[in-house]
Amino acid sequence: MLVYVLHGPNLNLLGSREPDVYGRLTLEEINRALVALGDELGVDVRCFQSNAEAELIDLLHEAGRKAGAVVFNPAAFTHYSYALRDAVAAVGLPVVEVHLSNVHAREEFRRNSVITPVAAGQISGLGLDSYLLGLRAVVARAFEREGS
Amino acid sequence: MLVYVLHGPNLNLLGSREPDVYGRLTLEEINRALVALGDELGVDVRCFQSNAEAELIDLLHEAGRKAGAVVFNPAAFTHYSYALRDAVAAVGLPVVEVHLSNVHAREEFRRNSVITPVAAGQISGLGLDSYLLGLRAVVARAFEREGS
Amino acid sequence: MLVYVLHGPNLNLLGSREPDVYGRLTLEEINRALVALGDELGVDVRCFQSNAEAELIDLLHEAGRKAGAVVFNPAAFTHYSYALRDAVAAVGLPVVEVHLSNVHAREEFRRNSVITPVAAGQISGLGLDSYLLGLRAVVARAFEREGS
Amino acid sequence: MLVYVLHGPNLNLLGSREPDVYGRLTLEEINRALVALGDELGVDVRCFQSNAEAELIDLLHEAGRKAGAVVFNPAAFTHYSYALRDAVAAVGLPVVEVHLSNVHAREEFRRNSVITPVAAGQISGLGLDSYLLGLRAVVARAFEREGS
Amino acid sequence: MLVYVLHGPNLNLLGSREPDVYGRLTLEEINRALVALGDELGVDVRCFQSNAEAELIDLLHEAGRKAGAVVFNPAAFTHYSYALRDAVAAVGLPVVEVHLSNVHAREEFRRNSVITPVAAGQISGLGLDSYLLGLRAVVARAFEREGS
Amino acid sequence: MLVYVLHGPNLNLLGSREPDVYGRLTLEEINRALVALGDELGVDVRCFQSNAEAELIDLLHEAGRKAGAVVFNPAAFTHYSYALRDAVAAVGLPVVEVHLSNVHAREEFRRNSVITPVAAGQISGLGLDSYLLGLRAVVARAFEREGS
Amino acid sequence: MLVYVLHGPNLNLLGSREPDVYGRLTLEEINRALVALGDELGVDVRCFQSNAEAELIDLLHEAGRKAGAVVFNPAAFTHYSYALRDAVAAVGLPVVEVHLSNVHAREEFRRNSVITPVAAGQISGLGLDSYLLGLRAVVARAFEREGS
Amino acid sequence: MLVYVLHGPNLNLLGSREPDVYGRLTLEEINRALVALGDELGVDVRCFQSNAEAELIDLLHEAGRKAGAVVFNPAAFTHYSYALRDAVAAVGLPVVEVHLSNVHAREEFRRNSVITPVAAGQISGLGLDSYLLGLRAVVARAFEREGS
Amino acid sequence: MLVYVLHGPNLNLLGSREPDVYGRLTLEEINRALVALGDELGVDVRCFQSNAEAELIDLLHEAGRKAGAVVFNPAAFTHYSYALRDAVAAVGLPVVEVHLSNVHAREEFRRNSVITPVAAGQISGLGLDSYLLGLRAVVARAFEREGS
Amino acid sequence: MLVYVLHGPNLNLLGSREPDVYGRLTLEEINRALVALGDELGVDVRCFQSNAEAELIDLLHEAGRKAGAVVFNPAAFTHYSYALRDAVAAVGLPVVEVHLSNVHAREEFRRNSVITPVAAGQISGLGLDSYLLGLRAVVARAFEREGS
Amino acid sequence: MLVYVLHGPNLNLLGSREPDVYGRLTLEEINRALVALGDELGVDVRCFQSNAEAELIDLLHEAGRKAGAVVFNPAAFTHYSYALRDAVAAVGLPVVEVHLSNVHAREEFRRNSVITPVAAGQISGLGLDSYLLGLRAVVARAFEREGS
Amino acid sequence: MLVYVLHGPNLNLLGSREPDVYGRLTLEEINRALVALGDELGVDVRCFQSNAEAELIDLLHEAGRKAGAVVFNPAAFTHYSYALRDAVAAVGLPVVEVHLSNVHAREEFRRNSVITPVAAGQISGLGLDSYLLGLRAVVARAFEREGS
């Protein structure tokens, strides 16, 4: 089974960007850890980063056709992109929304996600673990769907 | 006269995406019906779909140079894209906003359109008819402008 | 099939009342255009205007017994008459809400309709066309219901 | 002693209108049950239904002159008719507001009653029992007033 | 010149209704005082009271055809009747809104008038004087219009 | 059949606490009246008062196992105890929420109940009658369920 | 009897300042008209203008000691000066708040007066007449108090 | 190392309570799965359930003295218990908040957690996995703290 | 005379809990200082701490029977416990609400106290002095009541 | 050490102004009590009253240069004078905000203080004691600063 | 041409007041820089500081008679002084509002300016440059007006 | 030093688009003026316009690597693009936000910028001067950083 991991805008700067908020890991290191855990769980993990809402929509549509589950960090789009929300709702897959930082402990606007209501769930505040646990969660859900 | 019909994000999935909300017609079928009605009304209808806000802005600018009217379904952009609002306001053409579903009978956030205040009007909830009636409306307005 | 067209309060003044907002057509002219289009579509159109909420409720109840569809311009009642909302919901017919002016481009309070959530859809901002397209829409829906 | 029971707009459709919300009892059946309970309690019950706010105001004024208590289901007027609120406040009688359905478990707007703050109390969600218990309550209050 | 004085819902009860709020004057006494002042100012004053929104709309329309000015106490309709607001806006006459009590010193909801924005002005809190001063104001405005 | 009557915080002070708001009846007198009415209706009424949210949750759970219906006055918990709301929702019984005073005529915060949306209904403002009518209502509902 | 007329900030510019909003009368002309009407009504009118909140507070205190009534146009202080509100409440005199323009038909913030709730009443939108009618109203009230 | 798992109000009913929302697993089954995973991760897991806010506060204080990490499902207390928030903030341990259901896809009030801003992070919507992943996350954090 | 000092949830941790917010004094030290000041003022001070809302309610009821005044730090309950508010209102004693930290200079939610409106007053931000001054205040008030 | 006591607008009327709210003590009596307590505490108390925001700003600046602490009753300025807030923040002294009445138990607007967030603390509702306890508090804080 | 530079409340403390927010420049240094730039631009710059709203109003009126442009830092008055807003609107000159600090990055209340809507524009966050660029801007606008 | 000037969506239409709002200058003319001023200030100015949020994010990232400062007109993105906000925050450069029109004097939604809180400052309402002064400001800041 294929799992898509989608990283939203500005995450390409991870490691150098505001390290007290986002940590010192680079995106590449996160991706490597996800692929490794994928191997362990028996799934093929493919990671994509984009600053473009439209590309993320296209990737969600593509995941709908090719993959069995999605781990999605919408970054700043979390708070306003109803287009991504509709894409998540349109795709018939388990999607877990993840955030590196605890979005509930920062600026007020970060507390609202327009996407979570149509996702399977949300994991936030656990750094790299947000992604790894997110991967475990969607894989479990996807296998369950396959089995049923 | 040329009429542009613009479809916003996720509408490429029409027919398969949440069919109880959006119906079973595909986008191609909608486009064919619009072109056919355009023939009947004596206008040349060109249909475009994009998941990218910037492409829709560019198409609105292009319509401003080439077309006489626009039928516009901004989909999820309806609720936050002030950039599309400004593009509609900048283009000196009759623009009618259309929605397949009754946006006023769904989630609260769908009730607010940032675009309607600068459009000529809005038609919602009538499925394919939202588009066809929208086409009739803009064509009538465009011929009126030509005549005056 | 019978189609009721209901005009709400102050619409009896059309033509003379604030013509830059509502245009110069009189209600009689609108009604004649609707009857003519009804002929073309093969339905019998009956038009009523009332300044009284209770009369409009009674007319909706009557439509529920006698007609196949309703075109309804609730005028100012749009913004507060939950009694009319309940009447629309109680009547098992396709009802399309129409407005001459673009209610979304005027005072803030005009943006909220308490009726649209229980109507089939809304058409606004297209002057006489709001009514004519509304008639086309409800007739299509009513025939579809009959056929199904 | 005379007790007025006032039914607001659309309640004439009871039994056929949205039966999963309002039940299958007709208004006539409710009225008969109220008259029967009135007999048991030793009061003369008179029931009125109107879709017109003004008629309900007039009936409240009339009750103020002729009756000892009022059971009032303002239906949709509950949520906006400050005119009925003022009429209830003007009438020096025990008035209990009743609702067939649990207005607190439906659309947000149904949670607010502009009338309860000037009524003696509110009973909601208990179907026919809302009326019957309301009648018991106002009769008890009215006899108490007579006695004191 | 003819001046219409319109009294809204529940004002027929004046004198007996909540006298600490509304005073002990009856409506008839107010009307007599208005007619007397009208004589003094050289205008013909006609007073109407109605509990029905639709009748007040009709009276405003009639005033538009027959009278030169209107003194209007919308009572509870002040706070929600957009239909009366539209009627006031539609009528091309000086309309002054008056209130016996100081609506700004009572319940929160009474502070908002949906009608004042389209009236010439508002006078509140001065009991009978609210009416008499309102009459003076509209007469002055009406004569000014005639003269200009 | 067993019916639980639950009294929330501070109701142990009834009779002495703010008697113009809550009346002069003691809790014991209320309980005696409820037991007497229970006898009349053929049910076994058991009354509990607690100032502790957790005890009320436990009593609701216990009622779910042992009783057929619940009359519940959550007192101040009405306005914030989502834990009690969840307990009411979890218990598969008819629960009627009752209040001695008219909570809608007091401080603003008392108008909102977090519990009513999951209860069968609400009765407020009728003093002892709120309880007695509540008992009648839940007993009727419980017998209906048994019968069906 | 002495009547104080107090004019708030920027009213010294009347006649030249935004004449389509405030008219072409100068403050001096308004004062002369007030003094003349005062003569007619048998009271001594003294007019003061100040751009300083503290001076207006002092003048209200002084009025409390020397005058029988106050006509007060707080101008922009209307919308935020709780200090003036407290001064009006502290002074045991009839105070009528007046405004030249219809404050309810302008920017949203002008609709709220922090002062009216403690004044006797408000007159707005009637230009010079707002002041003259305000003078009539307070004089009537003051004589009434004297007489009682 | 010791890890406390705290279950809030009504979770003792898991398995029977609203199974479409909360699933069919019992609390005991969840606890067994947590203990098993704890064994695998080399930590000693102790599970507690309480319907009492005060007991949960005491357990958090105790964890502060005895344990290295906490997995906390505050259930309905999530939405209002500032006392639990203060207890989480007072305890110097990694605390992860977990929810079985997707709290962001249910009633509006469930979207707000007063606790997350002082927790390390939140996991919601993943059923049993919310707990298991939460355990993994706090254990990783606790070992990291020990190591540093 | 007996004075109750009640400390709300988490205050048992004082001295170790977030010392930059709450200072380094332990609860015991605060209690000793209060007893000492009580001696000086001629009153018997009894101090209680509880994490349980119900225990604090019971202590307030007990104070109502045994004590002459109450110093109350409701801690986090300040912001939501309407049950404690009702208990304070029910108890016929001078109650002063105190806070160690300046609750108005912290998170937004801490600015609102549901209890102050029914207390005699509030003292916040002065550390130990908040308690000591609170004790002086209630003792003065209690002696005044005794004397009168 | 010098301590400034600043009294805001309308407090010069104390004793005669709304005595049920503010008590019967005059400002002079309050000042005398403060000076006497100052003697006892070993500080020199200077009292100022002003109705002018600018004078109070100047006095705060002067206190910053000459005094060791400030007791400040901003009266109505409490609710809107951000200029006084900035002055308090700019002055590097302990400032305690005091109110005679319980501002939290009166009109809604009185619950918000724009000044407390930058003051050391707030004391309200204790009449003269609010001032005396405020003086004790600032003196303690000022001596502590001196000592450290 | 004459240009007025107006500094609002507390700006006399610049250099010593909260230097991390407002910098270490004194007001005198700012004024010297402005006069120097004025020389360069060929205008005569006059600088005024006042803590009194009324003085600033008077200075704006005076500018209206004597100067060609105004640079205005309203400081804390920015957020509530509608009287200054009206003065800016009344004066027929280019007025640019300036702020030393980035008011949009501080407390929420500082984000709202009641004055900008009637000013030509706003410059904030650039320290001394806010003033210097503001001077350049108003001078350019004033010369343009002169030229046209 | 290199300075990037970024123009957001629809600014390519400058000169023809709504000229009463945005003026008659074309974007090319603005760019030429900026380059000329750059020459004068000794910096190399590069101007970019894009209708695509993602391109603007990429350009900000590129500026972070290549340039010393940014002048940014986010146009409609100002009001909702948290992705651009995060990009501005991630880039360690002085960024000044500029607007041609006075965004505070237009539709309500234009008053809120999600970007200013992380920018150095904002300049609005000064047409071409907004850009030129913005360039002066960032250049001064960038040289200061270089020097320090």
Side-chain angles (χ1 to χ4, degrees), chain F residues 10 12 17 51 76 80 109-110, chain I residues 53 58 61 82-83 86-87:
Chain F
N10 296 301
N12 53 320
R17 166 198 181 202
N51 294 329
Y80 63 104
F109 74 83
R110 291 200 203 270
Chain I
E53 190 188 32
D58 290 346
H61 291 185
Y82 289 108
D86 280 0

Side-chain angles (χ1 to χ4, degrees), chain K residues 34-61:
Chain K
L34 283 160
V35 168
L37 179 60
D39 285 354
E40 195 183 306
L41 300 171
V43 297
D44 188 8
V45 170
R46 295 207 196 143
C47 300
F48 306 87
Q49 190 275 333
S50 175
N51 294 330
E53 190 188 31
E55 264 177 48
L56 292 166
I57 294 171
D58 291 346
L59 283 162
L60 282 163
H61 292 184

Side-chain angles (χ1 to χ4, degrees), chain C residues 129-148:
Chain C
D129 272 349
S130 290
Y131 279 102
L132 297 179
L133 301 173
L135 181 57
R136 283 179 188 276
V138 290
V139 168
R141 299 214 147 201
F143 280 137
E144 213 171 280
R145 282 160 53 108
E146 264 188 7
S148 68

Side-chain angles (χ1 to χ4, degrees), chain L residues 32-78:
Chain L
R32 269 201 300 267
L34 283 160
V35 169
L37 179 60
D39 285 352
E40 194 183 307
L41 300 171
V43 297
D44 188 10
V45 170
R46 295 206 197 144
C47 300
F48 306 87
Q49 190 275 334
S50 175
N51 294 331
E53 192 187 29
E55 265 178 46
L56 293 165
I57 294 172
D58 291 345
L59 284 162
L60 284 162
H61 291 185
E62 187 183 302
R65 292 187 307 271
K66 297 191 188 164
V70 179
V71 174
F72 187 15
N73 180 349
F77 290 147
T78 303

Side-chain angles (χ1 to χ4, degrees), chain J residues 53-55 57-58 61 65 80-91 114 118, chain K residues 9-13 16-18 22 51-53 75-77 79-80 106-107 109-110:
Chain J
E53 190 188 31
E55 265 178 47
I57 294 171
D58 291 346
H61 291 186
R65 291 187 308 271
Y80 63 104
S81 178
Y82 289 108
L84 281 166
R85 174 200 180 107
D86 280 359
V88 168
V91 164
V114 303
V118 297
Chain K
N10 296 300
L11 290 169
N12 54 319
L13 298 186
S16 58
R17 168 202 181 199
E18 302 178 75
Y22 298 102
N51 294 330
E53 190 188 31
F77 290 148
H79 314 301
Y80 63 103
R106 299 173 61 196
E107 300 101 320
F109 75 83
R110 290 200 204 270

Side-chain angles (χ1 to χ4, degrees), chain I residues 52-68:
Chain I
E53 190 188 32
E55 265 178 45
L56 293 165
I57 294 171
D58 290 346
L59 284 162
L60 283 163
H61 291 185
E62 189 183 300
R65 294 188 305 272
K66 298 191 187 166

